[in-house]
Amino acid sequence: MNQKSLRVLEFNKIIELLKSKASSSLGLKYIEELVPSSDFEEVKYMQQETSETQSILTKRGYVGLQGIHDIEDKVKRAGVGASLDPGSLIMIADTLRAARTLRNSLSGSDEEDFNYPIIQSLSNGLYAYREIEDAIYNAIISELEISDNASSTLRDIRRRIVQKNQSIRSKLNSIISSTTYQKYLQDAIISVRGDRFVVPVKAEYRSQVAGIVHDQSSSGATLFIEPMSIVDMNNELRQLRLSEQEEIERILQELSAMVGEVSEDLISNQEILGRLDFAFAKGKLSMKMRGVEPTLNKDKFINIKNGRHPLLDRKTVVPNSVYLGRDFHTLVITGPNTGGKTVTIKTVGLFALMTQSGLHISADYGSSMCVYDNIFADIGDEQSIEQSLSTFSSHMTNIVSILKDVTENSLVIFDELGAGTDPIEGAALAIAILEDVAMAGARCIATTHYTEIKNYALTKDGVENAAVEFDLDTLSPTYKLLIGVPGKSNAFEISKKLGLSDYIITRAKEFIDTDNIELEDILQSAEKNRIKAEEERIKAEKLRESIEKLKI
């Protein structure tokens, strides 16, 4: 897929929205690798996958995807005999529990209408090892703590450690509370240096206390001495602690071996869990956007019903219906600046990219999309100071590249085609470019201000005009797209309402080709008739509803 088009259509922002819906790094990997596909069957499968997760989330409100971790490296290490640390084992147990819970949750065995073949096929492929999961949770409390329940040997060693601690403290308490020792001590407290119990002795009484010096205070006034009477007891305590550590290492090795025996199954789980997280992220995004699965067709047409640009506030964005590819292959949109032309064509392009990425589109049910081999877009101010290219030159460089690669299965989007140069030459170039795209058999949607292109669309088979509506009373666009109606610039009307003198406007019209003035007048008349017809239609609809209520 054309990378420049992905950028100018802001597909990366959709990817960021999708990332925010993932529950794990496994799902994020799939999202980061997501690119639009040009394979019809693959797109169909991806769309169905999204629809299934959207439906499951709608039905249940929640699917447990928490606790999924990327454990592949840890599992591989266990598979070659390495011993894992407690934190790694806890992550493996958490992931095993998530896999088991998901498998049970998505089996739908106790629900008659729970039928989601794609998601259930994935979840049924998950391996569950409850015995490993329970063994890890039974043995490990946290990343830093092994449970006494890990083994009877460990429990016995720790019991003896507690007893030995108590014996040493009892012995030391008798020493520091004796009148003989009190004058030698800096404080009547028991301290620990390294893993040895000591007492704080005044430096000048070093010779009076038999024992081993382990430390001294920063001033040198206090020495921390291990009395000889508890050296053997401290040695025994140290030996017990070494035994405890050996038993912990044995337990971790045993648990790691259990993981290693099923390492291939756990790695398989990783892939499936990532796929499920990715699929449910698509479902969550669809729900957030109030998206729908578009009907896919192989006839190279699109029919978007009340499409809303997914990056705009859905409370304020004006929905528009756009169709292309059946009665006409090229749609030319005209109208005033800031009227919504660019948003409209970006919506079409972005919907195409989203559809081919398996994402739902923010439109109404009944919308239909096709699968293009490539989507080309020339949108925005592409002026390049570094390359000394003007806006026109930069656009033309991009257009040349598009025309070189376009095929009959492509969608081409042009914004302000032919702008940035002499209007007469720009319009002529724009028409020639549209002709070339049409000759290639591609579908095309373009915006323009040129009257010549409006005339071209009026007289050329396969080319249709469209306009963005403008309210002359408020001097503001309504952002509604009207297909079949060429747009009017409204420059004279806007200027008049803003206070420009009539004689200046009259004089300006003298400088415009008579045919162009006549066309603009025809467009204005057609627009007034359309608005009047729409008002009449709304009145008739209300009247019909009133009659229906009276019948009831």
Side-chain angles (χ1 to χ4, degrees):
M1 194 62 64
N2 185 273
Q3 293 300 310
K4 185 180 180 66
S5 299
L6 294 177
R7 178 173 58 80
V8 298
L9 292 171
E10 299 179 292
F11 183 67
N12 62 306
K13 293 184 179 179
I14 298 296
I15 293 296
E16 290 304 314
L17 285 178
L18 188 58
K19 283 182 180 180
S20 70
K21 302 301 177 185
S23 299
S24 73
S25 60
L26 300 180
L28 283 175
K29 285 182 180 179
Y30 280 92
I31 294 171
E32 287 167 353
E33 295 169 0
L34 180 62
V35 290
S37 169
S38 57
D39 183 283
F40 185 89
E41 293 303 322
E42 184 181 12
V43 172
K44 184 178 179 181
Y45 177 88
M46 293 191 298
Q47 283 289 340
Q48 289 172 345
E49 181 179 71
T50 305
S51 292
E52 286 190 14
T53 54
Q54 181 204 46
S55 179
I56 292 170
L57 289 165
T58 301
K59 180 176 291 188
R60 295 188 171 176
Y62 169 81
V63 173
L65 291 160
Q66 284 66 38
I68 298 173
H69 302 286
D70 186 354
I71 57 172
E72 185 171 350
D73 289 344
K74 299 171 178 60
V75 169
K76 284 181 177 178
R77 285 175 51 222
V80 295
S83 180
L84 303 179
D85 60 85
S88 296
L89 288 165
I90 283 287
M91 289 174 70
I92 289 170
D94 286 347
T95 306
L96 272 170
R97 180 169 58 186
R100 176 175 56 82
T101 303
L102 269 175
R103 176 172 177 157
N104 293 339
S105 169
L106 298 174
S107 67
S109 56
D110 56 346
E111 298 178 51
E112 291 183 5
D113 61 341
F114 197 86
N115 182 31
Y116 301 98
I118 294 175
I119 296 303
Q120 287 176 295
S121 175
L122 283 171
S123 63
N124 289 340
L126 289 168
Y127 293 95
Y129 288 102
R130 183 65 181 266
E131 66 280 8
I132 298 176
E133 185 187 328
D134 288 345
I136 293 173
Y137 284 137
N138 185 61
I140 302 174
I141 296 173
S142 69
E143 294 182 8
L144 302 173
E145 188 176 0
I146 305 298
S147 171
D148 291 349
N149 298 324
S151 74
S152 57
T153 302
L154 182 62
R155 187 185 300 110
D156 181 60
I157 291 171
R158 285 180 170 174
R159 180 180 54 79
R160 291 163 60 193
I161 287 173
V162 170
Q163 291 173 344
K164 187 58 67 177
N165 263 302
Q166 290 173 344
S167 298
I168 293 172
R169 286 184 176 277
S170 178
K171 181 72 174 176
L172 285 175
N173 276 326
S174 66
I175 290 174
I176 64 177
S177 61
S178 68
T179 54
T180 307
Y181 267 88
Q182 283 183 354
K183 65 179 179 180
Y184 303 145
L185 301 178
Q186 195 69 263
D187 294 293
I189 59 172
I190 299 170
S191 295
V192 177
R193 288 297 182 272
D195 58 354
R196 316 289 288 192
F197 283 95
V198 295
V199 292
V201 177
K202 295 175 182 177
E204 61 265 31
Y205 294 113
R206 165 67 186 90
S207 60
Q208 304 299 317
V209 179
I212 302 168
V213 178
H214 286 280
D215 197 7
Q216 68 176 15
S217 65
S218 56
S219 64
T222 304
L223 301 175
F224 295 92
I225 298 176
E226 177 187 3
M228 291 304 296
S229 58
I230 66 161
V231 168
D232 288 342
M233 296 174 73
N234 264 334
N235 287 341
E236 290 169 6
L237 180 61
R238 178 173 174 77
Q239 187 57 49
L240 284 170
R241 284 179 173 148
L242 289 172
S243 298
E244 177 191 30
Q245 190 57 42
E246 287 175 4
E247 179 61 10
I248 288 172
E249 289 173 0
R250 186 197 68 77
I251 291 165
L252 294 177
Q253 181 60 59
E254 185 178 275
L255 294 172
S256 300
M258 292 173 70
V259 171
E261 287 175 5
V262 296
S263 59
E264 291 185 4
D265 292 349
L266 298 189
I267 290 171
S268 173
N269 273 8
Q270 286 287 100
E271 182 179 352
I272 295 172
L273 289 170
R275 283 287 306 278
L276 285 170
D277 188 16
F278 168 55
F280 277 100
K282 293 193 294 175
K284 291 173 188 174
L285 182 62
S286 177
M287 293 181 72
K288 175 181 171 62
M289 296 190 311
R290 293 184 182 175
V292 299
E293 177 187 347
T295 302
L296 292 179
N297 69 79
K298 293 185 177 181
D299 298 324
K300 299 301 173 195
F301 74 87
I302 60 173
N303 183 15
I304 298 168
K305 296 185 177 181
N306 290 322
R308 305 170 300 278
H309 194 290
L311 298 176
L312 299 179
D313 186 349
R314 70 182 182 204
K315 294 179 181 178
T316 57
V317 66
V318 176
N320 272 310
S321 296
V322 186
Y323 48 94
L324 171 70
R326 270 182 168 164
D327 299 328
F328 50 89
H329 52 68
T330 301
L331 183 64
V332 176
I333 305 176
T334 51
N337 288 329
T338 70
K341 299 193 304 296
T342 302
V343 169
T344 299
I345 62 174
K346 276 190 171 183
T347 301
V348 173
L350 195 52
F351 276 10
L353 294 175
M354 290 171 67
T355 296
Q356 294 180 216
S357 301
L359 302 177
H360 285 178
I361 60 173
S362 46
D364 287 356
Y365 285 103
S367 295
S368 184
M369 299 292 293
C370 59
V371 177
Y372 298 104
D373 63 1
N374 218 325
I375 297 160
F376 300 99
D378 181 64
I379 297 174
D381 186 356
E382 295 294 325
Q383 185 173 7
S384 173
I385 297 173
E386 294 84 358
Q387 298 177 23
S388 300
L389 293 176
S390 66
T391 300
F392 175 77
S393 299
S394 190
H395 276 295
M396 197 51 60
T397 300
N398 190 32
I399 290 170
V400 168
S401 175
I402 290 172
L403 296 180
K404 183 176 66 175
D405 297 329
V406 70
T407 72
E408 62 179 355
N409 293 320
S410 300
L411 172 65
V412 183
I413 299 170
F414 294 123
D415 189 27
E416 297 299 344
L417 184 60
T421 187
D422 176 77
I424 296 174
E425 292 182 353
L429 274 172
I431 293 171
I433 290 166
L434 291 177
E435 285 277 285
D436 195 67
V437 172
M439 286 176 64
R443 305 296 184 263
C444 179
I445 181 168
T447 69
T448 183
H449 279 298
Y450 294 138
T451 300
E452 291 86 350
I453 300 179
K454 299 176 195 176
N455 293 336
Y456 166 73
L458 284 170
T459 58
K460 181 73 175 179
D461 288 341
V463 185
E464 185 62 271
N465 268 308
V468 286
E469 191 178 54
F470 191 85
D471 189 336
L472 284 174
D473 292 329
T474 62
L475 297 182
S476 61
T478 66
Y479 304 106
K480 290 181 181 178
L481 183 72
L482 309 170
I483 294 180
V485 179
K488 190 174 184 296
S489 66
N490 297 306
F492 293 151
E493 286 75 12
I494 293 171
S495 299
K496 185 175 182 179
K497 281 193 174 286
L498 291 175
L500 191 65
S501 299
D502 287 344
Y503 78 88
I504 296 179
I505 294 172
T506 303
R507 186 74 182 274
K509 287 182 178 180
E510 294 175 1
F511 294 110
I512 297 181
D513 185 90
T514 306
D515 291 340
N516 287 342
I517 294 176
E518 289 176 356
L519 175 63
E520 291 293 306
D521 290 341
I522 291 170
L523 293 180
Q524 185 172 359
S525 176
E527 176 64 4
K528 286 179 180 178
N529 290 335
R530 185 200 65 79
I531 292 171
K532 185 176 180 181
E534 180 67 12
E535 289 172 351
E536 293 296 329
R537 187 193 66 77
I538 292 171
K539 287 179 182 178
E541 184 66 22
K542 287 180 179 178
L543 182 60
R544 185 189 66 78
E545 289 176 359
S546 299
I547 293 171
E548 290 295 330
K549 287 178 182 178
L550 288 173
K551 285 181 180 179
I552 295 171

